[in-house]
Amino acid sequence: IYVYHCSRERYWSINFSDYCYCRPHCTWAVKKQFIANGSMLAFVCLVYIANFYFKQRSISMDYPFIRNHLNDLLAPISILAYSGILLNILKINSISSPAITLCICALCGIVWEYFSPLLNPQSVTDYIDLLCYFCGGFGYCAIINVVVRK
């Protein structure tokens, strides 16, 4: 992890890989990431609200993935997008490293799947949820890397 100061653009940046984001259009790259993170967070919120109302319908029993695992797929995207927005406000690049994403998803999985059942007896550990956390996290990572590379 490299932390450096972009003297041309006058802001601090965190580089999680060997790829240097310090280009003449550094500020524009952070703005693009901010727009992408905001769009992803808005999309996740809309899908979560739609899923909330979908679960209240009796038809939801016919779609077990949507009923049981869709929110687990959306959770890491929302956490990474929100943290990306906070980093972008500070003019720091979003988290785009697969290694950092893996660590964040593993931490979320440990907290939600292993500590949560200790606090809430109705909560159950499910390994498909762990897979959904990692898929959502790497989906975010892929999207933000496409935005950064353009």
Side-chain angles (χ1 to χ4, degrees):
I1 299 175
Y2 305 100
V3 178
Y4 59 91
H5 185 263
C6 178
S7 58
R8 181 179 295 167
E9 298 293 331
R10 292 191 175 90
Y11 72 91
W12 288 90
S13 185
I14 299 175
N15 192 357
F16 294 105
S17 65
D18 294 332
Y19 183 76
C20 180
Y21 296 102
C22 185
R23 300 180 293 237
H25 59 284
C26 291
T27 306
W28 178 241
V30 172
K31 287 180 184 176
K32 287 193 313 185
Q33 291 173 10
F34 181 79
I35 293 169
N37 284 320
S39 301
M40 281 189 276
L41 190 60
F43 176 76
V44 165
C45 288
L46 289 174
V47 172
Y48 177 79
I49 291 169
N51 192 26
F52 177 77
Y53 289 111
F54 179 78
K55 283 182 175 183
Q56 295 177 352
R57 307 278 182 194
S58 61
I59 193 172
S60 69
M61 294 299 178
D62 296 336
Y63 303 98
F65 178 80
I66 294 174
R67 181 171 182 78
N68 300 326
H69 302 294
L70 182 61
N71 290 343
D72 297 321
L73 187 68
L74 298 174
I77 298 172
S78 64
I79 288 173
L80 290 166
Y82 182 70
S83 64
I85 288 172
L86 294 178
L87 289 170
N88 295 149
I89 288 172
L90 298 173
K91 297 190 180 198
I92 298 174
N93 286 316
S94 297
I95 297 169
S96 61
S97 165
I100 301 296
T101 304
L102 177 72
C103 292
I104 291 172
C105 291
L107 181 66
C108 290
I110 289 169
V111 169
W112 289 328
E113 296 301 321
Y114 296 110
F115 292 136
S116 177
L118 298 174
L119 299 174
N120 183 5
Q122 295 176 342
S123 183
V124 198
T125 299
D126 186 9
Y127 297 108
I128 297 174
D129 291 347
L130 289 173
L131 180 66
C132 289
Y133 299 147
F134 290 112
C135 289
F138 287 121
Y140 170 84
C141 190
I143 291 169
I144 207 70
N145 278 319
V146 166
V147 169
V148 168
R149 302 286 186 235
K150 282 189 175 182

